[in-house]
Amino acid sequence: MQRAGAAAAAEIVHRFADRLSHGVVVATGPGNNGGDGWVVAHALHAAGVRVRVVECLLARTPDALAERQVALAAGVHALEDADALAGGDELVIVDALLGTGMRGDQPLTGAIGLGVSAMQAREQRGAVIVALDVPTGLDATSGLHISAPRCALTLTFGTVKRGHLIARDRCGAIVVLDIGLGAYTESAGVARLATAAWFRGALPTIDASAHKGSRGKVAIIGGAEGMAGAVVLAARGAFRSGAGMVKCVVAKESLLAVQQAEPAALASAWPTSDEPFSDSIAGWADVLLIGPGLGRVRARELVERALRVFRGPVVLDADALNVFARDVETLAPLLSDRAALLTPHAAEFARLVDRDVDEVLSTRFDSPRALAVRTGATVLLKGVPTVISSPNGETTVVAEGTPVLATGGSGDVLGGIAATLLAQTDDAHRAGALAAFAHGRAASLMSMIQVRGYTLDDVLAVLPGVWTLEVPAPRPPLLAELPAVGEHG
């Protein structure tokens, strides 16, 4: 508790130095989260910051009672009245009311509810809220809540929780602090949280002797009539990720549009039999991306032909997955004995396994692994966050990106990135996780907060800069950091 509180106080001073002259108010509850708040108050008081504690509920646990006694003896001012939180001119509010034991479907009542309402009112008047471990009322596992405060910063201890990764709008910036509990990456059922350091270490290099053939040849099958743009976006994602050559295999009605929009790419019409497919596509490509703008008219035929004739690595997205809705057993044998990556969003995933979208979202950390086992392919479930799981149980969570990516065509860009990396690694899990990180980081480099006015062309324009991403220098006791994203009203 002392490590947690001291580390949190140091981070508050580091981030909000310009606000500390107005003082800090710490709202405490009855448990050990409140005890953390008492340690924060004591540490800030010792550093000369004007601080007061509002005890919305009195401390009850032995550790919290001990830290309360120490803080009061040191001269920390405290009031035993939740209503006192509404007054004051402090510009920093520390939420130490309730920690990780809260269920998201439980309403906040009594003094705790009054305290949260007061914090929210103060936040509307310009104060910032800093949560210790989780914002009060937020379920640390599911991310559900009824009335959790909107925080500018969440300081969590030892590990990032699943709920943090889902409720980014409530948590604000998320900082994981080391308090001697071990590596954050092995907690809460998350095998790996993708970081900049991991990304740089896992990214394949392109040799000085590389040529267009060795950098990977990506064939993209899609582009039904009226949907050429999806293939164009995928091709641009592939080129900006280092692909040596790209071939767009589209409906004949889309050929002209594709060649005019992306002249660097080769183009050909959908094959009507196995022989031309084998000669001009399967015999040429290092990897297939199937699905962008594929439509429904000939989709099943094209997907099955492609997977039957081409035996190399594949990425399946969009309509290449939709044609196997409720028919995973047919898809699985077509993917066997190869590196395969499936990249559904929640609705596509739900159609594939015949479940409700809400059920998929509520089990987003576990559902990809179950589908990976059924299909023998790595599954990348797109969303907030993106979860990548392999049949062997390896899981990576990518918490990059901003709502800028919440637009039509974003998945096509991701598919192009993933296909290129799969061609260069022959490792579906590694390629999927790297692609999701690069895709999300490109959006965040462009704009963390503002969403309106940006397009996927803007994301593609900054994507090349992601490949030379600088890894921040370590700043102990900080283990990991996720920035706040999205617009706030």
Side-chain angles (χ1 to χ4, degrees):
M1 184 176 289
Q2 291 177 356
R3 285 185 177 185
E11 195 64 22
I12 290 169
V13 171
H14 173 75
R15 289 175 176 265
F16 301 112
D18 59 331
R19 290 173 167 262
L20 295 183
S21 62
H22 294 270
V24 176
V25 58
V26 181
T28 61
N32 283 347
N33 192 251
D36 292 336
W38 280 105
V39 179
V40 169
H42 185 190
L44 292 173
H45 174 76
V49 176
R50 177 169 62 88
V51 62
R52 65 186 176 114
V53 174
V54 174
E55 298 181 88
C56 294
L57 287 177
L58 293 178
R60 296 175 187 168
T61 65
D63 287 343
L65 286 166
E67 296 302 340
R68 178 182 185 272
Q69 182 177 356
V70 171
L72 291 175
V76 174
H77 179 60
L79 295 170
E80 299 176 10
D81 183 0
D83 291 333
L85 194 56
D89 61 351
E90 299 96 347
L91 293 180
V92 178
I93 303 170
V94 177
D95 172 13
L97 292 174
L98 297 176
T100 57
M102 187 73 183
R103 283 177 44 190
D105 59 355
Q106 294 177 332
L108 299 173
T109 59
I112 296 295
L114 289 174
V116 169
S117 295
M119 286 193 291
Q120 291 172 324
R122 294 277 299 274
E123 190 262 344
Q124 290 293 320
R125 299 198 301 269
V128 296
I129 303 173
V130 178
L132 301 184
D133 224 2
V134 293
T136 290
L138 181 72
D139 190 313
T141 300
S142 69
L144 296 176
H145 68 91
I146 294 177
S147 56
R150 186 179 65 187
C151 300
L153 175 66
T154 295
L155 300 171
T156 189
F157 309 120
T159 177
V160 62
K161 282 76 173 176
R162 291 181 172 187
H164 294 143
L165 301 175
I166 297 168
R168 297 289 292 275
D169 61 328
R170 295 290 102 181
C171 294
I174 301 166
V175 171
V176 185
L177 297 170
D178 182 13
I179 57 171
L181 297 178
Y184 67 91
T185 52
E186 297 299 327
S187 189
V190 176
R192 179 193 297 119
L193 176 65
T195 64
W198 167 83
F199 176 79
R200 286 306 304 270
L203 190 65
T205 58
I206 297 177
D207 294 336
S209 60
H211 53 81
K212 64 183 180 182
S214 65
R215 282 173 50 175
K217 293 176 286 186
V218 179
I220 305 169
I221 302 176
E225 184 177 5
M227 292 188 281
V231 170
V232 171
L233 287 170
R236 290 175 179 172
F239 276 130
R240 285 159 181 78
S241 303
M245 301 179 73
V246 175
K247 178 178 287 189
C248 300
V249 185
V250 300
K252 63 181 180 180
E253 296 86 356
S254 299
L255 271 172
L256 180 60
V258 167
Q259 290 186 299
Q260 288 178 334
E262 195 57 49
L266 304 172
S268 65
W270 288 341
T272 56
S273 65
D274 288 0
E275 185 176 352
F277 185 93
S278 178
D279 292 342
S280 64
I281 301 169
W284 175 87
D286 295 315
V287 65
L288 295 188
L289 167 59
I290 315 173
L294 187 61
R296 298 294 181 92
V297 177
R298 290 183 56 195
R300 182 74 176 237
E301 169 204 341
L302 287 166
V303 176
E304 290 188 346
R305 172 173 288 127
L307 295 178
R308 184 177 66 249
V309 177
F310 180 78
R311 297 307 305 166
V314 295
V315 178
L316 269 61
D317 185 37
D319 285 325
L321 297 172
N322 288 329
V323 296
F324 292 98
R326 299 175 298 280
D327 192 16
V328 173
E329 284 66 32
T330 301
L331 175 61
L334 294 169
L335 299 175
S336 62
D337 301 321
R338 73 171 90 209
L341 176 65
L342 314 183
T343 60
H345 56 56
E348 291 162 348
F349 191 105
R351 286 191 286 268
L352 197 59
V353 299
D354 195 20
R355 291 165 61 188
D356 293 332
V357 173
D358 288 344
E359 184 181 358
V360 171
L361 291 174
S362 68
T363 59
R364 74 187 78 201
F365 291 96
D366 303 307
S367 292
R369 182 178 299 178
L371 181 58
V373 170
R374 291 180 65 185
T375 61
T378 295
V379 177
L380 184 157
L381 177 57
K382 294 179 282 198
V384 182
T386 292
V387 180
I388 304 97
S389 289
S390 299
N392 65 5
E394 181 183 7
T395 296
T396 300
V397 176
V398 177
E400 299 292 317
T402 81
V404 167
L405 296 175
T407 186
S410 180
D412 302 315
V413 173
L414 175 64
I417 301 170
T420 298
L421 292 166
L422 182 55
Q424 295 173 350
T425 65
D426 198 36
D427 182 334
H429 188 103
R430 182 180 169 197
L434 284 168
F437 186 96
H439 187 237
R441 181 56 67 97
S444 62
L445 286 176
M446 185 185 63
S447 174
M448 290 302 307
I449 304 299
Q450 184 180 346
V451 175
R452 298 178 191 275
Y454 292 107
T455 69
L456 292 175
D457 285 338
D458 300 314
V459 175
L460 285 163
V462 300
L463 180 59
V466 175
W467 308 117
T468 55
L469 184 69
E470 293 291 333
V471 178
R475 186 164 65 85
L478 189 149
L479 288 174
E481 179 178 2
L482 297 174
V485 295
E487 298 177 349
H488 301 298

